Amino acid sequence: MKLGCIGDDFTGSSDLANTLAKQGMRVVQYSGIPSRDADAGVEAGVVSLKSRSIDPVEAVAQSLKALEWLRAQGCSQFFFKYCSTFDSTPVGNIGPVADALAEALGADRVIVCPAFPGTGRSVFQGCLFVNDRLLNESGMENHPLTPMTDADLRRWLAIQSTFPVGHVPAQVVFDGAGAIKGALDAEHAAGKRHIVVDAIRDEDLMEIGDAAQDLKLITGGSGVALGLPRNFGCSPCTPDWQGQTGPVLVLSGSCSKATRAQVARHVTSHPAREILAEDVIEARITPAGMLELALGAGSLPLLYSSSDPDVVRAVQDRFGREEAANAIENFFADLAQCAVAAGVTRIIVAGGETSGSVVEALQIEDLTIGPEIDPGVPALRAGPNLVFALKSGNFGTEDFFSKAAGVLGP
Ligand code: ADP
């Protein structure tokens, strides 16, 4: 293995695996830290953790364990993947994990770049934009677990990290890899360790990738991984894929703006059942019962808890943020188990945390990467009769659910 990656959630990890696969690397996404060595021939391993919203101390411990496994596989470079909307709180977990990985690897210039131009995320003047809005005006300020209230990555990361945060501005990035390298060196000389690097176009990410050739640790969204495979002699290709037949189920525990639009669109032409947080928490419904209703209702059924921010806030005020999130995640996890037991072979999940719960509950060890459904979302194969699409909240076009079902199989 050449490139060792640690993802702080499952959808983000498949996004990264997708980017690396498209750029020609042989990639496997692992669910958690594998208990055995990787198969020979795997060039990039993506260890997916569910560490974005857990206690920072635990997130650091899991990330260091993942690093240890990747080091044992022979990797020469490491990547810490977090969300392209920098999902984190003032206490973590991006800063503490990046600090710990940098220390463990002796990395003194650590790129911080969540840019993903293909999905409208750009970093300019140290600030993160979602399309034409600053991050904190993009809807992400209402995220149920990691409300993003500041778009300035230098300021937000500085609160979380013990290291000084530097910056390489777009004007330098536009001058190419040599200039970026020089600027990283200058920031290092000025005592900075984490260095936010601006990027607004894929070309910028390719140059940053070139500049990162000798760096031990890179952190960011999947975009900044675009330029890494060619440092390992890989070139773009299309992954192999065999479509999967059989029943499909769509599960949505994401309350992000794009997901809510996808749900609104899907319910107009497909069977759908809303899962109310109160009903889950007060045990008025069961996963088996909801599944039965969904599967009996017609093609491409959707079960969703996706709600508007004011509804989510009311639930959180009443039951507690974590309690509500855990109850709903566990409900989706149980639903997925019931679905597989009932013969469902294609599962589409919206939501990073939600996807993590589902994949963990199904005890899936690794996933191979298929074709891209929408930017950042690949089809995934988990076994001979089970395929997935795991979608981060804000990814995908409005018709994502039916599009994903079509890509997963006939
Ligand atoms: P995204 O990718 O959009 O961030 P996630 O699945 O990562 O989606 O996060 C959404 C979180 O919100 C999950 O923990 C989920 O359980 C929780 N959640 C989902 N629906 C509701 C709801 N109706 N009320 C409160 N919390 C909810």
Side-chain angles (χ1 to χ4, degrees):
M1 197 179 282
K2 297 168 179 171
L3 179 65
C5 309
I6 301 165
D8 71 354
D9 85 337
F10 279 66
T11 51
S13 296
S14 49
D15 171 12
L16 173 64
N18 174 50
T19 299
L20 297 171
K22 281 199 303 180
Q23 297 301 314
M25 288 193 104
R26 285 193 295 277
V27 189
V28 173
Q29 178 180 351
Y30 302 97
S31 166
I33 301 155
S35 50
R36 56 182 170 81
D37 284 340
D39 291 343
V42 176
E43 293 174 307
V46 184
V47 175
S48 336
L49 301 177
K50 197 172 175 305
S51 55
R52 181 171 295 172
S53 302
I54 62 175
D55 179 73
V57 173
E58 179 57 23
V60 165
Q62 288 186 18
S63 304
L64 288 175
K65 247 181 121 186
L67 177 67
E68 196 182 312
W69 183 82
L70 290 163
R71 277 176 132 168
Q73 309 310 306
C75 295
S76 56
Q77 190 170 56
F78 299 87
F79 193 100
F80 171 36
K81 162 74 177 71
Y82 41 78
C83 191
S84 58
T85 44
F86 212 72
D87 298 17
S88 52
T89 69
V91 296
N93 289 344
I94 294 175
V97 171
D99 286 4
L101 295 176
E103 282 288 84
L105 290 164
D108 53 16
R109 299 159 179 78
V110 179
I111 288 176
V112 175
C113 183
F116 189 176
T119 58
R121 277 71 159 157
S122 54
V123 181
F124 185 63
Q125 309 291 26
C127 294
L128 181 55
F129 290 80
V130 178
N131 298 311
D132 64 344
R133 312 303 304 179
L134 281 163
L135 178 66
N136 57 308
E137 299 170 4
S138 69
M140 279 303 296
E141 67 276 19
N142 295 318
H143 190 279
L145 301 175
T146 49
M148 297 303 295
T149 52
D150 190 353
D152 189 324
L153 297 176
R154 298 159 298 183
R155 204 158 50 199
W156 193 253
L157 181 58
I159 303 172
Q160 299 174 21
S161 171
T162 53
F163 302 134
V165 180
H167 179 219
V168 177
Q171 297 89 312
V172 172
V173 174
F174 295 163
D175 286 339
I180 299 168
K181 251 180 143 170
L184 292 171
D185 290 346
E187 288 296 82
H188 168 60
K192 314 292 173 127
R193 193 162 188 182
H194 296 312
I195 305 166
V196 175
V197 183
D198 284 359
I200 60 175
R201 309 164 303 181
D202 281 353
E203 300 95 278
D204 303 334
L205 295 167
M206 295 306 280
E207 295 299 327
I208 296 169
D210 269 5
Q213 182 151 24
D214 299 324
L215 299 184
K216 272 270 167 227
L217 176 66
I218 297 132
T219 81
S222 64
V224 73
L226 205 60
L228 301 179
R230 72 180 178 186
N231 295 339
F232 295 101
C234 302
S235 48
C237 71
T238 312
D240 289 339
W241 180 253
Q242 292 286 311
Q244 176 70 50
T245 55
V248 195
L249 180 66
V250 188
L251 302 175
S252 177
S254 158
C255 299
S256 297
K257 230 177 176 173
T259 305
R260 284 185 281 124
Q262 289 153 356
V263 168
R265 165 87 168 255
H266 196 79
V267 302
T268 61
S269 49
H270 297 90
R273 292 255 163 193
E274 183 171 3
I275 294 169
L276 293 174
E278 293 84 342
D279 287 350
V280 171
I281 296 164
E282 290 171 349
R284 279 194 291 271
I285 53 173
T286 64
M290 290 306 280
L291 182 73
E292 202 181 323
L293 290 173
L295 294 183
S299 83
L300 221 52
L302 163 70
L303 292 168
Y304 66 98
S305 68
S306 314
S307 293
D308 292 344
D310 48 341
V311 176
V312 171
R313 250 189 309 274
V315 166
Q316 292 180 335
D317 287 348
R318 187 163 159 215
F319 298 104
R321 174 180 293 203
E322 271 188 36
E323 289 74 6
N326 289 340
I328 296 168
E329 287 177 33
N330 289 337
F331 194 88
F332 279 115
D334 292 348
L335 255 171
Q337 282 178 329
C338 295
V340 169
V344 170
T345 56
R346 292 180 276 171
I347 302 182
I348 298 162
V349 190
E353 298 295 327
T354 310
S355 296
S357 306
V358 163
V359 172
E360 275 180 359
L362 294 173
Q363 295 184 314
I364 286 156
E365 287 190 355
D366 49 49
L367 296 147
T368 52
I369 314 302
E372 187 172 58
I373 301 163
D374 263 332
V377 195
L380 298 164
R381 180 165 285 285
N385 292 312
L386 189 58
V387 293
F388 285 99
L390 307 176
K391 185 197 82 80
S392 270
N394 276 316
F395 284 0
T397 53
E398 271 191 20
D399 60 347
F400 178 82
F401 298 140
S402 26
K403 198 195 287 181
V407 174
L408 290 178

